[in-house]
Amino acid sequence: MNTRRYTIPELPEVETIKSQLNKVLPMKVKEVHFSNVSDSIVKDKDFSAKGKELLKVERKGKVLRFFFEDELRVISGLGMSGSWRISKEWIDVKHTHVQLVGENADGPLYLGYVDPRRFGNMHFLTEEHEANWLERLGPDVSSLEFTLEYLLKLKKERPMKVIKPFLLEQNFFSGVGNYMASEICARAGIRPTRKMKTLTKNDLSNLLQATKMVLDDSIETGGTTFSGGYADAYGEKGRGVTNLVVFYQKICGLCHKSEVKKITLAGRGTYYCPTCQR
């Protein structure tokens, strides 16, 4: 198995950060600081957050949505290594590229966007421009839009799609990343190499339930961190590795006997159990 293990934030990790941020909001922003290289991350600046009140944070897929007064928004995609940090003091963590300085009901508050690899993206947008931006995302896989009927529709419209790499397409499965895709296929008992046209209604029902199971387990444990990558808003690692059944595993966590196989699909490492997945 590959020993270089990095966790790219997926839906459970972003949901964890969202929940932590909301616990310290609302916040009156007094200053906004950008690093010298923040232009590689901040793509749009329709407004300045200085003097604005940050009311709440929501999430769609792997994207955080910051709601400011006056119907202003910030979209924050975490990329490969991005995270938001919460502090009562200036955040001097290396690679902090955007920092909101202000106060909440308890006193001084600092929110910092940390991103060592700078593959994340941030957009300061009006409500209308945010709506246009979000059109590129498909149904959030944790939402009521993600149904068996939706999966049956995708099977009809995209019959030749290979299921595992298809799960990574955010315009169809918003929120799913690489470790989740392998785990969903495993828990659904579906080989990652199968095409949509081969999946029965029962297979798709299993896929739906497997998605919920993977999400619930990972969110409950604060996301998933391997030896590097994701940390939550307080710099803590997620404990979701305890729930994994195939991803980076040597023996399948479902049957507890078969050796997990690794293949590459659409350029991404993919793990599956040859016994449990058909």
Side-chain angles (χ1 to χ4, degrees), residues 74-129:
V74 170
I75 289 177
S76 177
L78 305 183
M80 292 184 68
S81 60
S83 179
W84 281 87
R85 297 293 173 86
I86 299 169
S87 178
K88 293 184 178 181
E89 301 176 342
W90 177 261
I91 298 170
D92 59 2
V93 177
K94 191 175 182 181
H95 306 298
T96 300
H97 297 295
V98 180
Q99 187 152 187
L100 307 181
V101 179
E103 60 183 12
N104 64 3
D106 297 323
L109 181 63
Y110 298 77
L111 303 181
Y113 177 71
V114 180
D115 193 345
R117 297 187 178 188
R118 284 190 279 143
F119 289 137
N121 60 85
M122 197 176 301
H123 309 264
F124 289 71
L125 301 171
T126 61
E127 182 182 25
E128 179 183 0
H129 288 168

Side-chain angles (χ1 to χ4, degrees), residues 21-247:
L21 289 170
N22 277 322
K23 289 178 180 178
V24 300
L25 298 179
M27 169 194 187
K28 185 70 173 182
V29 178
K30 295 182 177 180
E31 300 175 19
V32 182
H33 296 267
F34 299 95
S35 74
N36 293 333
V37 293
S38 65
D39 284 350
S40 62
I41 297 169
V42 182
K43 307 299 184 182
D44 298 286
K45 290 184 180 179
D46 286 358
F47 73 97
S48 171
K50 183 177 180 179
K52 300 295 184 182
E53 186 171 22
L54 173 56
L55 304 171
K56 64 179 180 178
V57 179
E58 295 185 359
R59 177 194 56 73
K60 181 165 185 180
K62 295 187 279 187
V63 172
L64 289 169
R65 302 172 63 206
F66 289 70
F67 285 67
F68 287 82
E69 62 177 312
D70 300 328
E71 305 299 330
L72 300 172
R73 307 280 192 267
V74 170
I75 289 177
S76 177
L78 305 183
M80 292 184 68
S81 60
S83 179
W84 281 87
R85 297 293 173 86
I86 299 169
S87 178
K88 293 184 178 181
E89 301 176 342
W90 177 261
I91 298 170
D92 59 2
V93 177
K94 191 175 182 181
H95 306 298
T96 300
H97 297 295
V98 180
Q99 187 152 187
L100 307 181
V101 179
E103 60 183 12
N104 64 3
D106 297 323
L109 181 63
Y110 298 77
L111 303 181
Y113 177 71
V114 180
D115 193 345
R117 297 187 178 188
R118 284 190 279 143
F119 289 137
N121 60 85
M122 197 176 301
H123 309 264
F124 289 71
L125 301 171
T126 61
E127 182 182 25
E128 179 183 0
H129 288 168
E130 189 219 25
N132 292 336
W133 194 97
L134 291 173
E135 287 180 356
R136 70 189 70 186
L137 299 179
D140 185 299
V141 295
S142 70
S143 74
L144 296 177
E145 297 176 84
F146 189 64
T147 63
L148 179 58
E149 289 70 27
Y150 175 69
L151 293 175
L152 289 168
K153 179 173 175 283
L154 287 184
K155 175 185 174 180
K156 183 178 180 180
E157 294 177 350
R158 300 289 193 278
M160 300 307 293
K161 287 284 189 178
V162 176
I163 182 59
K164 192 271 182 173
F166 192 26
L167 286 168
L168 299 180
E169 295 188 30
Q170 297 304 293
N171 53 328
F172 295 105
F173 300 94
S174 184
V176 178
N178 200 42
Y179 88 78
M180 278 184 61
S182 285
E183 291 292 302
I184 289 168
C185 288
R187 291 185 180 275
I190 298 170
R191 284 278 177 107
T193 52
R194 287 179 62 183
K195 292 181 178 179
M196 286 292 288
K197 68 178 183 179
T198 73
L199 301 182
T200 65
K201 184 175 182 179
N202 188 58
D203 286 332
L204 294 174
S205 179
N206 290 338
L207 192 78
L208 187 69
Q209 295 305 313
T211 303
K212 178 175 172 53
M213 185 182 303
V214 171
L215 286 174
D216 288 348
D217 286 350
S218 191
I219 290 171
E220 184 178 352
T221 50
T224 301
T225 304
F226 299 100
S227 59
Y230 164 74
D232 68 14
Y234 294 99
E236 299 295 326
K237 297 179 179 180
R239 307 181 309 281
V241 289
T242 58
N243 301 316
L244 299 175
V245 295
V246 291
F247 195 78

